[in-house]
């Protein structure tokens, strides 16, 4: 049986459609499980619980990034919620979770959009994204069900992830944009054919190889769905600095206005370059046909800030198509790697048909292999 929230309702008498303020009791706050996406908000909530309350009511329509306290009503595809540190917190019916509304585009899992009300919704990502499922892959379970209790608010205003994000898209660190073009830090982007093509593992191995060569490497994930797995992998691989889009206040980047996605990429590169790293490696999530990824590749801003590209593919045919798309966009494709290299046959097919070198993923941990992918001076 779940912990019953200690909540007092105070309807605001301005109109029949006004929001309802609900005070959070100490037991309720203590019982809430914070997700990876809401880690910065959750830290403040636990530190100063009296500063926050909930807002509910028929008039409220959540927006992407708005933070919600919800009760788990049925366990489905996601049986655990990633903590601020990326630990899998086992979920139980009746538990309270602090998650963020967001859209999701995941061919292997869910297509979901932010609902127009505070009615029942689903946990569509283990990192802590609440949304309403529109379609799903045939091989997975139905999404874990959530019952929103209300939007988290402070001083009567709904809390959005951006309110507590440590980084801002339009306010890069001092000196981040002051480097002359000829002396700026080299930047490598890792892309892939689709979700689960091996991008994060490829990036992690590349970070490790460059680190083994004695270089300070800063890593980032510019697009995708908020989760702690990849940032933790990059740290474990040896990155001296790691950032992802959740550090800028985005639970996901799907359905975010394209100009914001582009500015986010630039801000992340600048932030990581400002750390003093010798090289910056950035992951671009999902596949080349995904909306914002496709636009980024053909945007002059991308080639202005990214020097070389490493491509992850699941099979040889996907690798060939990716090579053609990336070269047509005028990008410097340094290597192909990813899941296809787990199969000697698939890797051999790729080598026989690609102009680009194919490198086994874990060979990227070799310092000589990794440094050979750096931009040519």
């Amino acid at each position: 049986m779940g912990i019953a929230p200690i909540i007092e309702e105070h309807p605001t008498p301005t109109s029949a459609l006004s929001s309802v303020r609900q005070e959070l009791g100490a037991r309720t706050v203590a019982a809430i499980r914070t997700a990876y996406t809401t880690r910065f908000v959750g830290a403040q909530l636990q530190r100063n619980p009296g500063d926050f309350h909930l807002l509910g009511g028929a008039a409220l329509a959540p927006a992407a990034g708005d933070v919600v306290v919800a009760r788990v009503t049925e366990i489905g595809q996601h049986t655990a919620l990633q903590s601020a540190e990326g630990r899998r917190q086992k979920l139980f019916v009746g538990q309270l979770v602090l998650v963020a509304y967001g859209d999701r585009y995941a061919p292997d899992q869910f297509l979901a959009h932010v609902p127009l009300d505070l009615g029942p919704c689903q946990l569509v990502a283990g990192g802590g994204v609440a949304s309403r499922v529109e379609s799903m892959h045939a091989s997975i379970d139905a999404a874990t069900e959530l019952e929103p209790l209300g939007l988290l608010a402070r001083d009567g205003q709904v809390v959005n992830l951006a309110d507590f994000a440590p980084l801002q898209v339009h306010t890069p660190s001092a000196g981040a944009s002051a480097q002359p073009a000829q002396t700026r830090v080299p930047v490598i982007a890792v892309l892939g054919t689709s979700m689960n093509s091996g991008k994060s593992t490829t990036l992690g191995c590349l970070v490790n190889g460059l680190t083994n060569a004695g270089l300070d490497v800063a890593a980032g994930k510019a697009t995708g769905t908020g989760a702690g797995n990849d940032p933790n992998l990059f740290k474990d691989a040896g990155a001296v600095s790691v950032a992802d889009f959740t550090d800028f206040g985005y639970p996901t980047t799907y359905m975010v206005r394209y100009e914001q996605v582009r500015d986010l990429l630039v801000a992340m590169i600048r932030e990581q370059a400002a750390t003093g790293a010798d090289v910056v490696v950035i992951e671009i999530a999902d596949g080349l046909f995904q909306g914002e990824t496709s636009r980024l590749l053909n945007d002059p801003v991308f080639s202005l800030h990214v020097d070389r590209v490493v491509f992850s593919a699941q099979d040889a045919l996907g690798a060939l198509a990716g090579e053609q798309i990336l070269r047509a966009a005028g990008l410097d494709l340094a290597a192909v790697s990813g899941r296809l290299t787990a199969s000697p046959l698939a890797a051999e097919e790729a080598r026989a048909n690609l102009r680009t070198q194919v490198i086994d993923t874990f060979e990227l941990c070799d310092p000589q292999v990794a440094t050979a992918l750096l931009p040519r001076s």
Side-chain angles (χ1 to χ4, degrees), residues 24 92 120 126 139 157 178 191 195 227 230 234 262 294 297 306 310:
L24 286 164
F92 293 88
S139 68
Q157 299 297 314
L191 300 98
M195 181 181 180
D230 294 344
F234 304 159
R262 182 183 59 196
S294 178
L297 296 181
V306 173
V310 174

Side-chain angles (χ1 to χ4, degrees), residues 61-65 101-104 112-117 130-132 134:
Y101 281 104
D103 301 290
R104 187 164 196 208
H113 293 108
V114 176
L116 300 177
D117 54 45
S131 196
R132 195 161 289 166
E134 296 192 7

Side-chain angles (χ1 to χ4, degrees), residues 34 61 69 74 90 93 101 109 111 133 155 162 164 175 190 211 222 238 257 293 309 311 323 327 339 371 376:
T34 297
V69 175
E74 184 177 345
K90 187 71 174 178
V93 170
Y101 281 104
Q109 288 198 11
L111 173 66
V133 174
D155 299 326
F164 291 88
V190 176
T211 299
R257 188 167 56 88
T293 302
V309 169
F311 187 64
E323 179 186 61
R327 290 189 181 280
R339 290 188 65 179
T371 54
R376 305 177 186 87

Side-chain angles (χ1 to χ4, degrees), residues 29 40-52:
V29 172
F40 302 118
V41 177
Q44 290 296 324
L45 174 62
Q46 296 296 330
R47 190 177 298 119
N48 302 299
D51 292 349
F52 297 89

Side-chain angles (χ1 to χ4, degrees), residues 88-340:
R88 286 171 55 83
Q89 306 172 98
K90 187 71 174 178
L91 287 173
F92 293 88
V93 170
Q95 284 181 330
L96 301 182
V97 294
L98 188 72
V99 294
Y101 281 104
D103 301 290
R104 187 164 196 208
Y105 179 98
D108 288 0
Q109 288 198 11
F110 302 108
L111 173 66
H113 293 108
V114 176
L116 300 177
D117 54 45
L118 296 183
C121 60
Q122 291 81 41
L123 180 67
V124 298
V129 179
S131 196
R132 195 161 289 166
V133 174
E134 296 192 7
S135 65
M136 55 182 278
H137 195 283
S139 68
I140 65 172
D141 294 332
T144 292
E145 294 287 339
L146 301 176
E147 175 193 1
L149 301 183
L151 295 174
L152 191 69
R154 187 175 60 164
D155 299 326
Q157 299 297 314
V158 173
V159 171
N160 191 279
L161 294 183
D163 299 333
F164 291 88
L167 300 177
Q168 301 295 322
V169 170
H170 295 295
T171 55
S173 299
S177 59
Q179 294 175 306
Q182 65 269 27
T183 61
R184 73 171 177 81
V185 176
V187 177
I188 299 175
V190 176
L191 300 98
T193 50
S194 64
M195 181 181 180
N196 295 327
S197 61
K199 296 181 298 298
S200 298
T201 304
T202 296
L203 190 147
C205 289
L206 179 57
V207 167
N208 186 247
L210 294 171
T211 299
N212 291 338
L215 300 175
D216 286 340
V217 186
K221 185 169 182 174
T223 65
T225 301
N229 309 34
D230 294 344
N232 285 337
L233 169 62
F234 304 159
K235 291 174 187 174
D236 293 344
V240 297
S241 176
V242 174
D244 73 4
F245 48 87
T246 65
D247 293 306
F248 291 83
Y250 296 91
T252 75
T253 54
Y254 174 52
M255 298 294 289
V256 172
R257 188 167 56 88
Y258 171 70
E259 289 75 17
Q260 287 182 269
V261 174
R262 182 183 59 196
D263 292 346
L264 170 61
L265 171 66
V266 173
M268 183 174 292
I269 290 173
R270 288 176 173 172
E271 284 287 348
Q272 295 304 78
T275 65
D278 299 307
V279 58
V280 173
V281 186
I282 299 289
E283 179 182 343
I284 309 295
D286 301 313
L288 300 188
F289 290 151
Q290 200 275 343
E292 59 257 29
T293 302
S294 178
R295 291 190 65 179
L296 277 173
L297 296 181
N298 293 283
D299 192 318
V301 170
F302 186 87
S303 56
L304 182 66
H305 290 85
V306 173
D307 299 296
R308 304 201 82 188
V309 169
V310 174
F311 187 64
S312 292
Q314 292 176 305
D315 56 34
L317 187 59
L320 178 61
E323 179 186 61
Q324 293 172 348
I325 292 171
L326 293 168
R327 290 189 181 280
L331 300 176
D332 184 359
L333 179 57
V336 169
S337 189
R339 290 188 65 179
L340 76 87

